[in-house]
Amino acid sequence: MSGFEGKVPAAPVYDVAQALDNPFFRDREGVVAAQADNGERYLGVASPFRCPGVELPQNAAPALGAHTLEVLRDAGLTEEQIHYLHVNKVV
């Protein structure tokens, strides 16, 4: 990186673990604590977008499949159709 200094706009590319451990990233509020539906807490990368006066959500993503039934029902599928999808391991 030092070879680019003052010549090319460049920055290191970090994986998530490196980003969470980076003091500069932490100082810029780039790390958030989130809690999953099962109560487990973990650290994550904050949204890079900043909106003055707006608090962005900091909750964990839902578990895989958490809303499948709701989505299928909202799409107009009957319970029989949803059962068929489950039995045939489509969902």
Side-chain angles (χ1 to χ4, degrees), residues 1 8-9 11-14 17-20 30 36-37 41 47 49 52 54-55 62 64 70 77-81:
M1 291 302 301
V8 177
V13 176
Y14 294 124
Q18 291 170 318
L20 295 175
D37 290 339
R41 296 189 56 80
S47 171
F49 302 104
V54 176
E55 187 173 328
L64 181 63
E70 180 183 349
L77 275 72
T78 66
E79 294 302 316
E80 287 177 350
Q81 291 169 320

Side-chain angles (χ1 to χ4, degrees), residues 42-57:
Y42 63 92
L43 296 178
V45 176
S47 171
F49 302 104
R50 302 291 190 258
C51 304
V54 176
E55 187 173 328
L56 298 174

